Amino acid sequence: MIGCILTGHGSFAPGVYGALTMIAGEQDFFDVIAFEDGQNVDDFEEKMKQAVKQLDQTCEGVLIFSDLLGGSPFKTAMIAAQDFDAVEVIAGANLPMLIETIGLRYANTDLEQLTQQAITAGQTGVVHPKLVIKEDEEFGEEGI
């Protein structure tokens, strides 16, 4: 199984993880590391390194989801990942990406393939649908 870490600024990671568990239940081998307002960067880096190290020892790879490309959580994840062979980092994490990935990580042991599937799921999860109201000719009522 591939282990996962979700990180981001403020309440992003805990909030998204809360939504994920509401939909899919508690997750094994899944850590949430928030970069909190006023937190010392060195403390945050140490938490990230320890989480990556622990998952690396128990899983067949680690996939880190970060909220924002270039932000402190992303940079910290990239620095932590460089010390391990099987750790990948994705920026721009969203809920559709996580829902898709958690199901696939049990059956899929290839970290690179899982990373690409997560990116695709995240991209296709961003949509802009339009609501079309149609009038029911028989009853003269509006409906969807």
Side-chain angles (χ1 to χ4, degrees), residues 30-100:
F30 196 114
D31 287 332
V32 176
I33 304 175
F35 183 48
E36 299 170 355
D37 189 27
Q39 184 177 13
N40 180 304
V41 175
D42 293 335
D43 292 341
F44 179 67
E45 287 177 4
E46 185 59 31
K47 285 182 182 179
M48 181 67 69
K49 287 178 183 178
Q50 288 302 317
V52 172
K53 181 178 179 180
Q54 183 178 359
L55 287 173
D56 182 66
Q57 292 172 351
T58 56
C59 298
E60 297 172 22
V62 179
L63 184 51
I64 304 174
F65 299 91
S66 178
D67 61 348
L68 183 65
L69 178 66
S72 295
F74 172 79
K75 289 188 268 188
T76 300
M78 291 295 290
I79 291 167
Q82 73 181 353
D83 294 333
F84 300 90
D85 292 330
V87 179
E88 296 290 339
V89 180
I90 296 175
N94 60 39
L95 188 56
M97 174 189 287
L98 292 169
I99 291 169
E100 183 82 16

Short mmCIF file of all heavy atoms in Angstrom, two decimals, residues 30-100:
data_model
loop_
_atom_site.label_atom_id
_atom_site.label_comp_id
_atom_site.label_asym_id
_atom_site.label_seq_id
_atom_site.Cartn_x
_atom_site.Cartn_y
_atom_site.Cartn_z
N PHE A 30 -2.27 7.30 6.65
CA PHE A 30 -2.61 8.61 6.10
C PHE A 30 -2.39 9.64 7.21
O PHE A 30 -3.07 9.61 8.22
CB PHE A 30 -4.07 8.63 5.65
CG PHE A 30 -4.42 9.77 4.75
CD1 PHE A 30 -4.79 9.53 3.43
CD2 PHE A 30 -4.41 11.08 5.20
CE1 PHE A 30 -5.14 10.58 2.59
CE2 PHE A 30 -4.75 12.13 4.37
CZ PHE A 30 -5.11 11.89 3.06
N ASP A 31 -1.42 10.53 7.02
CA ASP A 31 -1.12 11.56 8.02
C ASP A 31 -1.54 12.93 7.52
O ASP A 31 -1.47 13.21 6.32
CB ASP A 31 0.38 11.59 8.32
CG ASP A 31 0.84 10.40 9.14
OD1 ASP A 31 0.03 9.84 9.90
OD2 ASP A 31 2.02 10.02 9.01
N VAL A 32 -1.94 13.76 8.44
CA VAL A 32 -2.32 15.15 8.15
C VAL A 32 -1.36 16.05 8.91
O VAL A 32 -1.25 15.94 10.14
CB VAL A 32 -3.78 15.43 8.58
CG1 VAL A 32 -4.13 16.88 8.36
CG2 VAL A 32 -4.73 14.51 7.82
N ILE A 33 -0.67 16.92 8.18
CA ILE A 33 0.30 17.81 8.81
C ILE A 33 0.00 19.23 8.37
O ILE A 33 0.28 19.62 7.23
CB ILE A 33 1.75 17.41 8.44
CG1 ILE A 33 1.98 15.96 8.82
CG2 ILE A 33 2.73 18.34 9.13
CD1 ILE A 33 3.31 15.41 8.41
N ALA A 34 -0.60 19.99 9.26
CA ALA A 34 -0.98 21.37 8.97
C ALA A 34 0.17 22.32 9.30
O ALA A 34 0.85 22.14 10.31
CB ALA A 34 -2.22 21.75 9.77
N PHE A 35 0.36 23.31 8.44
CA PHE A 35 1.30 24.40 8.73
C PHE A 35 0.46 25.53 9.31
O PHE A 35 -0.20 26.26 8.59
CB PHE A 35 2.03 24.83 7.46
CG PHE A 35 3.07 25.90 7.69
CD1 PHE A 35 3.98 25.79 8.71
CD2 PHE A 35 3.11 27.02 6.87
CE1 PHE A 35 4.94 26.78 8.93
CE2 PHE A 35 4.06 28.01 7.08
CZ PHE A 35 4.98 27.89 8.11
N GLU A 36 0.49 25.62 10.63
CA GLU A 36 -0.40 26.54 11.34
C GLU A 36 0.18 27.94 11.43
O GLU A 36 1.41 28.12 11.46
CB GLU A 36 -0.69 25.98 12.73
CG GLU A 36 -1.39 24.63 12.65
CD GLU A 36 -1.49 23.92 13.99
OE1 GLU A 36 -0.94 24.43 14.99
OE2 GLU A 36 -2.12 22.85 14.02
N ASP A 37 -0.69 28.91 11.48
CA ASP A 37 -0.30 30.31 11.60
C ASP A 37 0.58 30.48 12.83
O ASP A 37 0.23 30.05 13.93
CB ASP A 37 -1.55 31.18 11.71
CG ASP A 37 -1.23 32.66 11.63
OD1 ASP A 37 -0.21 33.03 11.00
OD2 ASP A 37 -2.01 33.45 12.17
N GLY A 38 1.75 31.09 12.65
CA GLY A 38 2.67 31.33 13.75
C GLY A 38 3.56 30.16 14.10
O GLY A 38 4.40 30.27 14.99
N GLN A 39 3.38 29.02 13.42
CA GLN A 39 4.19 27.84 13.72
C GLN A 39 5.62 28.05 13.25
O GLN A 39 5.88 28.60 12.18
CB GLN A 39 3.60 26.61 13.03
CG GLN A 39 4.33 25.32 13.36
CD GLN A 39 3.67 24.11 12.70
OE1 GLN A 39 2.84 24.23 11.84
NE2 GLN A 39 4.06 22.93 13.15
N ASN A 40 6.56 27.58 14.03
CA ASN A 40 7.97 27.63 13.68
C ASN A 40 8.20 26.69 12.50
O ASN A 40 7.80 25.52 12.53
CB ASN A 40 8.80 27.20 14.90
CG ASN A 40 10.27 27.23 14.64
OD1 ASN A 40 10.78 26.59 13.72
ND2 ASN A 40 10.98 27.96 15.48
N VAL A 41 8.86 27.19 11.46
CA VAL A 41 9.10 26.39 10.24
C VAL A 41 9.94 25.16 10.57
O VAL A 41 9.71 24.08 10.01
CB VAL A 41 9.76 27.25 9.14
CG1 VAL A 41 10.13 26.39 7.94
CG2 VAL A 41 8.85 28.38 8.72
N ASP A 42 10.90 25.29 11.48
CA ASP A 42 11.74 24.14 11.84
C ASP A 42 10.90 23.02 12.47
O ASP A 42 11.13 21.84 12.19
CB ASP A 42 12.85 24.57 12.81
CG ASP A 42 13.87 25.50 12.15
OD1 ASP A 42 14.02 25.44 10.90
OD2 ASP A 42 14.51 26.28 12.87
N ASP A 43 9.94 23.39 13.31
CA ASP A 43 9.06 22.38 13.92
C ASP A 43 8.21 21.70 12.86
O ASP A 43 8.01 20.48 12.89
CB ASP A 43 8.15 23.02 14.97
CG ASP A 43 8.91 23.51 16.20
OD1 ASP A 43 10.05 23.06 16.42
OD2 ASP A 43 8.35 24.36 16.93
N PHE A 44 7.70 22.49 11.92
CA PHE A 44 6.90 21.94 10.83
C PHE A 44 7.74 20.97 9.99
O PHE A 44 7.28 19.88 9.65
CB PHE A 44 6.34 23.07 9.97
CG PHE A 44 5.52 22.60 8.80
CD1 PHE A 44 4.30 21.96 8.99
CD2 PHE A 44 5.97 22.79 7.51
CE1 PHE A 44 3.55 21.51 7.91
CE2 PHE A 44 5.22 22.36 6.43
CZ PHE A 44 4.02 21.72 6.63
N GLU A 45 8.96 21.37 9.65
CA GLU A 45 9.85 20.51 8.88
C GLU A 45 10.12 19.19 9.60
O GLU A 45 10.14 18.12 8.98
CB GLU A 45 11.17 21.22 8.59
CG GLU A 45 11.06 22.32 7.56
CD GLU A 45 12.36 23.07 7.34
OE1 GLU A 45 13.41 22.71 7.93
OE2 GLU A 45 12.34 24.04 6.56
N GLU A 46 10.31 19.26 10.90
CA GLU A 46 10.58 18.04 11.68
C GLU A 46 9.37 17.10 11.67
O GLU A 46 9.52 15.88 11.51
CB GLU A 46 10.98 18.39 13.12
CG GLU A 46 11.39 17.19 13.94
CD GLU A 46 12.58 16.42 13.36
OE1 GLU A 46 13.45 17.01 12.70
OE2 GLU A 46 12.61 15.18 13.55
N LYS A 47 8.16 17.66 11.82
CA LYS A 47 6.95 16.83 11.76
C LYS A 47 6.83 16.15 10.39
O LYS A 47 6.48 14.97 10.30
CB LYS A 47 5.70 17.67 12.02
CG LYS A 47 5.49 18.05 13.46
CD LYS A 47 4.21 18.84 13.62
CE LYS A 47 3.99 19.27 15.04
NZ LYS A 47 2.75 20.05 15.20
N MET A 48 7.12 16.89 9.34
CA MET A 48 7.03 16.34 7.99
C MET A 48 8.05 15.22 7.79
O MET A 48 7.71 14.15 7.30
CB MET A 48 7.24 17.45 6.95
CG MET A 48 7.14 16.97 5.51
SD MET A 48 5.49 16.44 5.02
CE MET A 48 4.64 18.01 5.03
N LYS A 49 9.27 15.46 8.19
CA LYS A 49 10.32 14.44 8.03
C LYS A 49 9.98 13.17 8.80
O LYS A 49 10.18 12.07 8.30
CB LYS A 49 11.67 14.99 8.47
CG LYS A 49 12.25 15.99 7.51
CD LYS A 49 13.58 16.54 8.01
CE LYS A 49 14.11 17.59 7.06
NZ LYS A 49 15.38 18.16 7.54
N GLN A 50 9.47 13.32 10.02
CA GLN A 50 9.12 12.15 10.83
C GLN A 50 7.96 11.37 10.20
O GLN A 50 7.97 10.13 10.19
CB GLN A 50 8.78 12.57 12.26
CG GLN A 50 9.99 12.99 13.06
CD GLN A 50 11.03 11.90 13.15
OE1 GLN A 50 10.74 10.73 13.36
NE2 GLN A 50 12.29 12.28 12.96
N ALA A 51 6.97 12.08 9.68
CA ALA A 51 5.83 11.40 9.05
C ALA A 51 6.28 10.65 7.80
O ALA A 51 5.87 9.50 7.58
CB ALA A 51 4.74 12.41 8.69
N VAL A 52 7.11 11.28 6.98
CA VAL A 52 7.61 10.61 5.77
C VAL A 52 8.44 9.39 6.16
O VAL A 52 8.26 8.31 5.58
CB VAL A 52 8.44 11.58 4.90
CG1 VAL A 52 9.11 10.84 3.76
CG2 VAL A 52 7.56 12.70 4.36
N LYS A 53 9.30 9.53 7.13
CA LYS A 53 10.15 8.42 7.57
C LYS A 53 9.32 7.24 8.06
O LYS A 53 9.56 6.09 7.68
CB LYS A 53 11.10 8.89 8.68
CG LYS A 53 12.04 7.82 9.17
CD LYS A 53 12.97 8.38 10.23
CE LYS A 53 13.90 7.29 10.75
NZ LYS A 53 14.81 7.81 11.79
N GLN A 54 8.31 7.52 8.88
CA GLN A 54 7.47 6.45 9.42
C GLN A 54 6.71 5.73 8.31
O GLN A 54 6.66 4.51 8.27
CB GLN A 54 6.51 7.01 10.46
CG GLN A 54 5.65 5.95 11.10
CD GLN A 54 4.73 6.52 12.16
OE1 GLN A 54 4.74 7.73 12.43
NE2 GLN A 54 3.95 5.67 12.78
N LEU A 55 6.09 6.48 7.41
CA LEU A 55 5.34 5.85 6.31
C LEU A 55 6.26 5.11 5.36
O LEU A 55 5.91 4.06 4.83
CB LEU A 55 4.51 6.89 5.56
CG LEU A 55 3.28 7.40 6.30
CD1 LEU A 55 2.64 8.55 5.54
CD2 LEU A 55 2.27 6.28 6.54
N ASP A 56 7.45 5.65 5.13
CA ASP A 56 8.42 4.99 4.25
C ASP A 56 8.81 3.62 4.79
O ASP A 56 9.05 2.69 4.02
CB ASP A 56 9.65 5.87 4.08
CG ASP A 56 10.68 5.26 3.14
OD1 ASP A 56 10.37 5.13 1.93
OD2 ASP A 56 11.77 4.89 3.62
N GLN A 57 8.85 3.48 6.10
CA GLN A 57 9.23 2.21 6.72
C GLN A 57 8.12 1.18 6.68
O GLN A 57 8.38 -0.02 6.76
CB GLN A 57 9.66 2.44 8.17
CG GLN A 57 10.96 3.22 8.28
CD GLN A 57 11.28 3.61 9.72
OE1 GLN A 57 10.48 3.46 10.64
NE2 GLN A 57 12.48 4.14 9.91
N THR A 58 6.85 1.62 6.56
CA THR A 58 5.73 0.68 6.64
C THR A 58 4.96 0.53 5.32
O THR A 58 4.13 -0.36 5.22
CB THR A 58 4.73 1.13 7.73
OG1 THR A 58 4.32 2.47 7.46
CG2 THR A 58 5.36 1.08 9.10
N CYS A 59 5.24 1.39 4.35
CA CYS A 59 4.48 1.37 3.09
C CYS A 59 5.41 1.16 1.90
O CYS A 59 6.64 1.24 2.03
CB CYS A 59 3.72 2.69 2.92
SG CYS A 59 2.49 2.98 4.21
N GLU A 60 4.81 0.94 0.75
CA GLU A 60 5.57 0.71 -0.48
C GLU A 60 5.85 2.01 -1.23
O GLU A 60 6.25 1.97 -2.39
CB GLU A 60 4.79 -0.26 -1.38
CG GLU A 60 4.61 -1.62 -0.75
CD GLU A 60 3.67 -2.50 -1.54
OE1 GLU A 60 3.48 -2.26 -2.74
OE2 GLU A 60 3.13 -3.43 -0.94
N GLY A 61 5.66 3.11 -0.58
CA GLY A 61 5.89 4.42 -1.14
C GLY A 61 5.03 5.42 -0.38
O GLY A 61 4.15 5.04 0.38
N VAL A 62 5.31 6.70 -0.61
CA VAL A 62 4.57 7.76 0.08
C VAL A 62 4.20 8.82 -0.95
O VAL A 62 5.05 9.26 -1.73
CB VAL A 62 5.41 8.41 1.21
CG1 VAL A 62 4.62 9.51 1.90
CG2 VAL A 62 5.87 7.36 2.21
N LEU A 63 2.95 9.22 -0.94
CA LEU A 63 2.45 10.28 -1.80
C LEU A 63 2.01 11.43 -0.91
O LEU A 63 1.15 11.27 -0.05
CB LEU A 63 1.28 9.77 -2.65
CG LEU A 63 0.69 10.72 -3.69
CD1 LEU A 63 1.77 11.31 -4.59
CD2 LEU A 63 -0.36 9.99 -4.51
N ILE A 64 2.66 12.59 -1.11
CA ILE A 64 2.35 13.78 -0.31
C ILE A 64 1.50 14.73 -1.14
O ILE A 64 1.87 15.09 -2.26
CB ILE A 64 3.63 14.49 0.15
CG1 ILE A 64 4.54 13.53 0.93
CG2 ILE A 64 3.27 15.71 1.01
CD1 ILE A 64 5.89 14.11 1.30
N PHE A 65 0.37 15.12 -0.59
CA PHE A 65 -0.54 16.07 -1.22
C PHE A 65 -0.38 17.42 -0.52
O PHE A 65 -0.54 17.50 0.69
CB PHE A 65 -2.00 15.62 -1.06
CG PHE A 65 -2.29 14.29 -1.67
CD1 PHE A 65 -2.17 13.12 -0.94
CD2 PHE A 65 -2.70 14.22 -2.99
CE1 PHE A 65 -2.46 11.90 -1.51
CE2 PHE A 65 -2.99 12.99 -3.58
CZ PHE A 65 -2.87 11.83 -2.83
N SER A 66 -0.09 18.46 -1.29
CA SER A 66 0.07 19.79 -0.75
C SER A 66 -0.96 20.73 -1.36
O SER A 66 -1.40 20.52 -2.49
CB SER A 66 1.49 20.30 -1.05
OG SER A 66 1.66 21.60 -0.57
N ASP A 67 -1.30 21.78 -0.63
CA ASP A 67 -2.33 22.69 -1.10
C ASP A 67 -1.87 23.60 -2.23
O ASP A 67 -2.61 23.83 -3.18
CB ASP A 67 -2.89 23.52 0.06
CG ASP A 67 -1.86 24.40 0.75
OD1 ASP A 67 -0.65 24.23 0.53
OD2 ASP A 67 -2.28 25.27 1.56
N LEU A 68 -0.65 24.10 -2.19
CA LEU A 68 -0.27 25.19 -3.07
C LEU A 68 1.19 25.05 -3.54
O LEU A 68 2.09 24.94 -2.70
CB LEU A 68 -0.44 26.52 -2.31
CG LEU A 68 -0.17 27.82 -3.02
CD1 LEU A 68 -1.17 28.02 -4.16
CD2 LEU A 68 -0.27 28.97 -2.04
N LEU A 69 1.40 25.09 -4.83
CA LEU A 69 2.74 25.05 -5.39
C LEU A 69 3.54 26.25 -4.90
O LEU A 69 3.08 27.38 -5.00
CB LEU A 69 2.66 25.06 -6.92
CG LEU A 69 3.99 25.07 -7.67
CD1 LEU A 69 4.74 23.77 -7.45
CD2 LEU A 69 3.77 25.31 -9.16
N GLY A 70 4.70 26.00 -4.36
CA GLY A 70 5.59 27.07 -3.95
C GLY A 70 5.43 27.53 -2.51
O GLY A 70 6.28 28.26 -2.01
N GLY A 71 4.37 27.12 -1.84
CA GLY A 71 4.16 27.51 -0.45
C GLY A 71 5.07 26.73 0.50
O GLY A 71 5.71 25.76 0.12
N SER A 72 5.13 27.16 1.73
CA SER A 72 5.98 26.50 2.73
C SER A 72 5.67 25.01 2.90
O SER A 72 6.60 24.20 2.98
CB SER A 72 5.88 27.21 4.07
OG SER A 72 6.41 28.51 3.97
N PRO A 73 4.38 24.59 2.95
CA PRO A 73 4.12 23.16 3.07
C PRO A 73 4.66 22.37 1.86
O PRO A 73 5.23 21.29 2.03
CB PRO A 73 2.59 23.08 3.14
CG PRO A 73 2.20 24.39 3.74
CD PRO A 73 3.15 25.38 3.13
N PHE A 74 4.49 22.93 0.67
CA PHE A 74 5.00 22.27 -0.53
C PHE A 74 6.53 22.18 -0.49
O PHE A 74 7.11 21.11 -0.74
CB PHE A 74 4.55 23.02 -1.79
CG PHE A 74 5.20 22.51 -3.04
CD1 PHE A 74 4.74 21.35 -3.65
CD2 PHE A 74 6.27 23.19 -3.62
CE1 PHE A 74 5.34 20.87 -4.81
CE2 PHE A 74 6.87 22.71 -4.76
CZ PHE A 74 6.42 21.56 -5.36
N LYS A 75 7.19 23.29 -0.20
CA LYS A 75 8.66 23.29 -0.17
C LYS A 75 9.18 22.34 0.89
O LYS A 75 10.15 21.61 0.66
CB LYS A 75 9.19 24.70 0.07
CG LYS A 75 8.98 25.61 -1.14
CD LYS A 75 9.67 26.95 -0.96
CE LYS A 75 8.74 27.93 -0.35
NZ LYS A 75 9.26 29.30 -0.30
N THR A 76 8.53 22.32 2.05
CA THR A 76 8.94 21.42 3.13
C THR A 76 8.77 19.96 2.71
O THR A 76 9.64 19.12 2.98
CB THR A 76 8.13 21.71 4.40
OG1 THR A 76 8.37 23.07 4.78
CG2 THR A 76 8.50 20.79 5.53
N ALA A 77 7.68 19.65 2.03
CA ALA A 77 7.45 18.28 1.54
C ALA A 77 8.51 17.89 0.52
O ALA A 77 9.02 16.76 0.53
CB ALA A 77 6.05 18.17 0.94
N MET A 78 8.85 18.80 -0.37
CA MET A 78 9.87 18.51 -1.38
C MET A 78 11.23 18.24 -0.74
O MET A 78 11.94 17.31 -1.14
CB MET A 78 9.99 19.67 -2.38
CG MET A 78 8.78 19.84 -3.28
SD MET A 78 8.51 18.45 -4.40
CE MET A 78 9.89 18.66 -5.53
N ILE A 79 11.57 19.01 0.27
CA ILE A 79 12.84 18.81 0.97
C ILE A 79 12.83 17.47 1.69
O ILE A 79 13.81 16.72 1.64
CB ILE A 79 13.10 19.97 1.94
CG1 ILE A 79 13.40 21.25 1.14
CG2 ILE A 79 14.24 19.65 2.90
CD1 ILE A 79 13.38 22.53 1.96
N ALA A 80 11.72 17.14 2.35
CA ALA A 80 11.62 15.85 3.06
C ALA A 80 11.68 14.68 2.09
O ALA A 80 12.28 13.65 2.38
CB ALA A 80 10.34 15.81 3.88
N ALA A 81 11.09 14.84 0.91
CA ALA A 81 11.02 13.76 -0.07
C ALA A 81 12.38 13.41 -0.65
O ALA A 81 12.62 12.27 -1.04
CB ALA A 81 10.05 14.14 -1.18
N GLN A 82 13.27 14.37 -0.73
CA GLN A 82 14.55 14.13 -1.39
C GLN A 82 15.42 13.09 -0.69
O GLN A 82 16.33 12.52 -1.30
CB GLN A 82 15.32 15.44 -1.57
CG GLN A 82 15.91 15.99 -0.30
CD GLN A 82 16.64 17.29 -0.53
OE1 GLN A 82 16.82 17.73 -1.67
NE2 GLN A 82 17.06 17.93 0.54
N ASP A 83 15.14 12.82 0.56
CA ASP A 83 15.94 11.84 1.31
C ASP A 83 15.45 10.40 1.15
O ASP A 83 16.02 9.50 1.75
CB ASP A 83 15.94 12.21 2.80
CG ASP A 83 16.65 13.53 3.08
OD1 ASP A 83 17.56 13.89 2.29
OD2 ASP A 83 16.29 14.20 4.06
N PHE A 84 14.41 10.20 0.33
CA PHE A 84 13.81 8.87 0.18
C PHE A 84 13.64 8.54 -1.30
O PHE A 84 13.45 9.43 -2.12
CB PHE A 84 12.45 8.81 0.88
CG PHE A 84 12.54 9.09 2.35
CD1 PHE A 84 12.42 10.40 2.83
CD2 PHE A 84 12.75 8.07 3.26
CE1 PHE A 84 12.51 10.67 4.19
CE2 PHE A 84 12.85 8.33 4.61
CZ PHE A 84 12.73 9.64 5.08
N ASP A 85 13.69 7.26 -1.61
CA ASP A 85 13.57 6.82 -3.01
C ASP A 85 12.13 6.80 -3.51
O ASP A 85 11.89 7.06 -4.68
CB ASP A 85 14.16 5.41 -3.17
CG ASP A 85 15.66 5.40 -2.97
OD1 ASP A 85 16.30 6.43 -3.28
OD2 ASP A 85 16.18 4.37 -2.51
N ALA A 86 11.19 6.49 -2.66
CA ALA A 86 9.82 6.28 -3.11
C ALA A 86 8.85 7.27 -2.47
O ALA A 86 7.91 6.89 -1.78
CB ALA A 86 9.39 4.84 -2.82
N VAL A 87 9.10 8.55 -2.68
CA VAL A 87 8.22 9.60 -2.17
C VAL A 87 7.96 10.60 -3.30
O VAL A 87 8.89 11.06 -3.94
CB VAL A 87 8.83 10.33 -0.95
CG1 VAL A 87 7.89 11.44 -0.47
CG2 VAL A 87 9.11 9.36 0.18
N GLU A 88 6.69 10.89 -3.54
CA GLU A 88 6.30 11.86 -4.56
C GLU A 88 5.47 12.96 -3.90
O GLU A 88 4.78 12.72 -2.92
CB GLU A 88 5.47 11.20 -5.67
CG GLU A 88 6.21 10.15 -6.47
CD GLU A 88 7.28 10.73 -7.38
OE1 GLU A 88 7.22 11.93 -7.71
OE2 GLU A 88 8.19 9.98 -7.76
N VAL A 89 5.51 14.17 -4.47
CA VAL A 89 4.79 15.32 -3.94
C VAL A 89 3.91 15.90 -5.04
O VAL A 89 4.38 16.10 -6.17
CB VAL A 89 5.76 16.40 -3.41
CG1 VAL A 89 4.98 17.59 -2.86
CG2 VAL A 89 6.71 15.83 -2.37
N ILE A 90 2.66 16.17 -4.71
CA ILE A 90 1.72 16.79 -5.63
C ILE A 90 1.26 18.11 -5.02
O ILE A 90 0.93 18.16 -3.83
CB ILE A 90 0.48 15.89 -5.86
CG1 ILE A 90 0.86 14.59 -6.54
CG2 ILE A 90 -0.57 16.64 -6.68
CD1 ILE A 90 -0.30 13.62 -6.68
N ALA A 91 1.21 19.17 -5.82
CA ALA A 91 0.65 20.46 -5.38
C ALA A 91 -0.73 20.63 -6.00
O ALA A 91 -1.00 20.12 -7.08
CB ALA A 91 1.56 21.60 -5.79
N GLY A 92 -1.59 21.36 -5.31
CA GLY A 92 -2.94 21.61 -5.82
C GLY A 92 -3.93 20.55 -5.41
O GLY A 92 -4.91 20.28 -6.13
N ALA A 93 -3.74 19.95 -4.26
CA ALA A 93 -4.63 18.87 -3.81
C ALA A 93 -6.07 19.35 -3.68
O ALA A 93 -6.34 20.49 -3.30
CB ALA A 93 -4.14 18.33 -2.46
N ASN A 94 -7.00 18.45 -4.03
CA ASN A 94 -8.42 18.74 -3.85
C ASN A 94 -9.14 17.46 -3.43
O ASN A 94 -8.57 16.36 -3.49
CB ASN A 94 -9.03 19.37 -5.11
CG ASN A 94 -8.93 18.52 -6.34
OD1 ASN A 94 -9.08 17.30 -6.30
ND2 ASN A 94 -8.70 19.16 -7.48
N LEU A 95 -10.37 17.59 -3.02
CA LEU A 95 -11.13 16.45 -2.50
C LEU A 95 -11.36 15.36 -3.54
O LEU A 95 -11.18 14.17 -3.23
CB LEU A 95 -12.44 16.92 -1.88
CG LEU A 95 -13.26 15.89 -1.13
CD1 LEU A 95 -12.44 15.22 -0.02
CD2 LEU A 95 -14.51 16.54 -0.53
N PRO A 96 -11.74 15.67 -4.79
CA PRO A 96 -11.89 14.61 -5.77
C PRO A 96 -10.60 13.79 -5.97
O PRO A 96 -10.63 12.58 -6.12
CB PRO A 96 -12.27 15.34 -7.06
CG PRO A 96 -12.91 16.61 -6.59
CD PRO A 96 -12.17 16.98 -5.34
N MET A 97 -9.48 14.48 -5.94
CA MET A 97 -8.17 13.81 -6.07
C MET A 97 -7.97 12.82 -4.94
O MET A 97 -7.57 11.67 -5.15
CB MET A 97 -7.07 14.87 -6.05
CG MET A 97 -5.66 14.32 -6.03
SD MET A 97 -4.45 15.64 -5.75
CE MET A 97 -4.47 16.46 -7.33
N LEU A 98 -8.25 13.23 -3.73
CA LEU A 98 -8.03 12.36 -2.57
C LEU A 98 -8.99 11.18 -2.55
O LEU A 98 -8.59 10.05 -2.25
CB LEU A 98 -8.16 13.18 -1.28
CG LEU A 98 -7.05 14.21 -1.07
CD1 LEU A 98 -7.41 15.15 0.07
CD2 LEU A 98 -5.73 13.52 -0.82
N ILE A 99 -10.24 11.42 -2.87
CA ILE A 99 -11.22 10.32 -2.88
C ILE A 99 -10.80 9.25 -3.87
O ILE A 99 -10.83 8.06 -3.56
CB ILE A 99 -12.63 10.86 -3.20
CG1 ILE A 99 -13.15 11.69 -2.03
CG2 ILE A 99 -13.60 9.71 -3.51
CD1 ILE A 99 -14.41 12.47 -2.33
N GLU A 100 -10.40 9.66 -5.06
CA GLU A 100 -9.96 8.70 -6.09
C GLU A 100 -8.71 7.96 -5.64
O GLU A 100 -8.61 6.74 -5.78
CB GLU A 100 -9.69 9.46 -7.39
CG GLU A 100 -9.29 8.58 -8.54
CD GLU A 100 -10.47 7.94 -9.25
OE1 GLU A 100 -11.62 8.39 -9.06
OE2 GLU A 100 -10.22 6.98 -10.00
#
